[in-house]
Amino acid sequence: MSKKSKRPQKKVAPPKQSKSEKKPSTGIPFINNIVVVFVFVILVVIVKDANTGYKWMSDTLIKLNMKRIKMYKNSTFEEKQVAKMGYNVQFLNYVSDNTPEDAIILMPPDSIIQQEGVASDFDKHMRNKVWVSYFLYPRKVVFEKEKETSTLYDKATHIAVINGWGYEKLPHITGNRSKHAVFALNL
Amino acid sequence: MVVTLFIFVLIFVLGFILTNTISTKLTLGEKVGLAFPFGFALLSFVMVFYSFITVPFTLSLVLITSSVLAIISLAILWKQGNLKRIIHFDTYPIQKLKSINLSWIFLAGLVVYIVYAMAAKAMFWPTAAYDSITGYDYMAKVVAAEGTYNNSIFDVENPTAGIRHSYPPFVNSSFAVAYMAGLNSTKIIVVLLFISLAIYFWSVFRKYTTETAAIFFTLLLVAVPEFLAMASLSLTNVPQTLFAAAGLIAIFEFIQKRDSSYLILGAVLVGLNVWTRSDGVIFIVGGGLMLLIDGFRNHRMKIANYWKPLVLFGAISATPFIIWQAYSKFYIKNVYSSSDAFVKHLFWDSDKFTDLVSQVYTILESTQLYGAIFIIFVIVIIANIRNIIKTKPIMLIGILISFALYFMLYYQMNNGGDGFAYSVQSMVRSSFKRGMFPFLPMVCFYMATTPMVNKFFNWIFKPIFK
């Protein structure tokens, strides 16, 4: 054993926690701050323009949306729905407004909603039962294609006339026949 | 309007009380960040309970029941002597704000602007996302009108149920609250949850790093292009991101501090992540493995010391998953089953593996989707490589394990099978890329807590105020 180890140990106070450990360092020249923030601004501008993701986020997701929000600021909820989802929603809101809540609405075949080679007022979502049901709830929806499979088909109370389809099921309708409409089946 | 405001204030208060019941030791920012998510979660459990006992619920019934539960929580806190801690906060985080500098102000301004832009977009436009219209929002509308989860969507005579209607109830029920409160859109929920997410992760980051680094990583998180774009839509991924990432971070905090309140918090959060999306089960396994690895690594620990946390974590976090699976299987007739989506046995298909790796690599390296976050992550890993080899940081291990499990989940999918027609490519480009969101806050948290990043931010930024 060395002599050193035999010496009585002096009591050593535990090292004080330095201020820098307790909290972040403080007190730096103001100019330093200005330089760093300037570098940061430049960095953000460069990254925003150089990266397609951030550029899209800034130009389309944020700025373009803000512009569109201003453009539609006086629009009603329904108008905004139509702006986002097109004529589908306008028609479904019309059906909703003109049928009772317990109505069962018969929808046309897919080939009528979007006729081949003909520009349609509707998009593919109009052929989707769940999508259509969302807008017509609590009304029930049954499609012509479900004729053989759904027990609801025979219970339909209303018919959604689309692209003139459906008038053949409505002998009582005479006069002007709109391209798109909704009628009660049993008057 | 006043009634609606009161309802949302009440939900916040209920969530705030619940947060305190789980852990009184959180900072004010963390408690505020978790208040709405926990408030909505409480309401969703009450809704499922009433559906289970077949009592159609109204918003009043749900709020009264939740308030009773909150009062019981307060009584527990009072009994524990923790009631004062609800309004007593550690003042250090507030004092720490004095060390902000011009860069912090600039970065914080960007964060606020981005969150504002997201909120403005979400609040202005009605729900239009296909997944939401044919899924969560539709379910919410029907739940709100009929007061039960076993509702007309699953009507045998007129089934309109799809895969998204059998998703766990957190998002559906939160949206249902908006409808029951008389709103014509559910977007307020999306906005509140996104703001909560930003506040929560900022508050967690700043516990472990400098103010400037914390706000920098908060900016890096909220400015992920795909994340921000999806945040304004009514989808399930953003709430899951909050729960899953916050859960694993809380597990990390438990391992660091050996404070059981963080373990319980982590377990509850990971449990709520599967209360939002069933695929979040990977984070239960991920969190469990973090605890297990920590237990094995720490040789001085007695077995009971790490089995007990593991069992507690597993029991709490898996309970919501079990409740929902049991309820939907036994009580909802005509529910859509997603079991056909997975191959039910382990297999090896090198072509599929290679294809999946290639597809996943393509989206992860895409700065169009995730901005610079993964590039910075790689740089930070390289910069800290010596430290990583030496200390094997548990947070990084948790991230990698969870990612490996997430990858395996997609590998097990029965692509092109009878009940699941989607290809590997389409799944990765749609579902997988959104499923990466929970990793974003975890990655930011890991980066913010590394020695080199802290060194860097201490070196480059200097505070203004003394």
Side-chain angles (χ1 to χ4, degrees), chain A residues 36 40, chain B residues 96 99-105 107 202 206 209-218 457 460-463:
Chain A
V36 177
F40 238 104
Chain B
K96 203 180 162 203
S99 68
I100 62 171
N101 51 41
L102 284 178
S103 302
W104 186 95
I105 293 165
L107 296 171
W202 169 62
R206 60 198 292 262
T209 187
T210 65
E211 285 297 325
T212 318
I215 201 73
F216 172 81
F217 285 105
T218 308
F457 275 93
I460 196 166
F461 296 115
K462 304 283 184 182

Side-chain angles (χ1 to χ4, degrees), chain A residues 85-100:
Chain A
M85 290 170 279
Y87 185 69
N88 284 0
V89 176
Q90 194 173 338
F91 179 71
L92 291 174
N93 283 340
Y94 160 78
V95 172
S96 191
D97 291 343
N98 290 284
T99 52

Side-chain angles (χ1 to χ4, degrees), chain B residues 17 53 56-57 70 99 127 198 274 293 295 302 308 346 455 457:
Chain B
I17 292 170
I53 60 169
F57 55 80
S99 68
T127 302
V274 277
I293 290 167
K302 288 179 183 169
K308 253 169 46 186
L346 292 174
K455 223 176 211 179
F457 275 93

Side-chain angles (χ1 to χ4, degrees), chain A residues 6-151:
Chain A
K6 280 184 179 174
R7 275 185 208 159
Q9 294 283 311
K10 270 186 184 176
K11 266 192 178 178
V12 181
K16 279 183 184 174
Q17 206 174 12
S18 68
K19 275 186 180 178
S20 61
E21 279 173 336
K22 269 187 176 176
K23 52 184 180 180
S25 59
T26 56
I28 41 93
F30 185 70
I31 192 76
N32 199 332
N33 252 293
I34 299 289
V35 171
V36 177
V37 77
F38 184 73
V39 170
F40 238 104
V41 173
I42 299 285
L43 201 68
V44 167
V45 171
I46 290 172
V47 169
K48 191 208 86 182
D49 286 334
N51 180 277
T52 49
Y54 291 131
K55 192 168 169 55
W56 172 80
M57 185 187 81
S58 163
D59 296 351
T60 308
L61 194 62
I62 297 179
K63 283 183 197 158
L64 190 68
N65 252 300
M66 290 297 193
K67 214 184 235 180
R68 289 186 73 195
I69 288 170
K70 268 184 195 165
M71 203 194 306
Y72 288 97
K73 68 178 178 189
N74 295 321
S75 304
T76 62
F77 183 77
E78 280 73 21
E79 284 166 347
K80 288 181 209 168
Q81 279 188 315
V82 173
K84 273 273 171 192
M85 290 170 279
Y87 185 69
N88 284 0
V89 176
Q90 194 173 338
F91 179 71
L92 291 174
N93 283 340
Y94 160 78
V95 172
S96 191
D97 291 343
N98 290 284
T99 52
E101 289 197 344
D102 60 353
I104 298 171
I105 296 153
L106 178 62
M107 298 289 289
D110 294 350
S111 57
I112 296 293
I113 295 169
Q114 284 189 302
Q115 293 166 328
E116 219 177 298
V118 180
S120 177
D121 295 332
F122 303 98
D123 69 26
K124 63 176 181 180
H125 293 320
M126 202 64 174
R127 304 182 323 217
N128 183 321
K129 183 170 176 161
V130 186
W131 199 89
V132 170
S133 297
Y134 171 84
F135 293 96
L136 294 181
Y137 181 82
R139 294 151 197 85
K140 290 178 179 171
V141 178
V142 62
F143 277 70
E144 181 67 19
K145 64 189 168 194
E146 294 178 281
K147 190 175 182 177
E148 306 297 330
T149 54
S150 175
T151 53

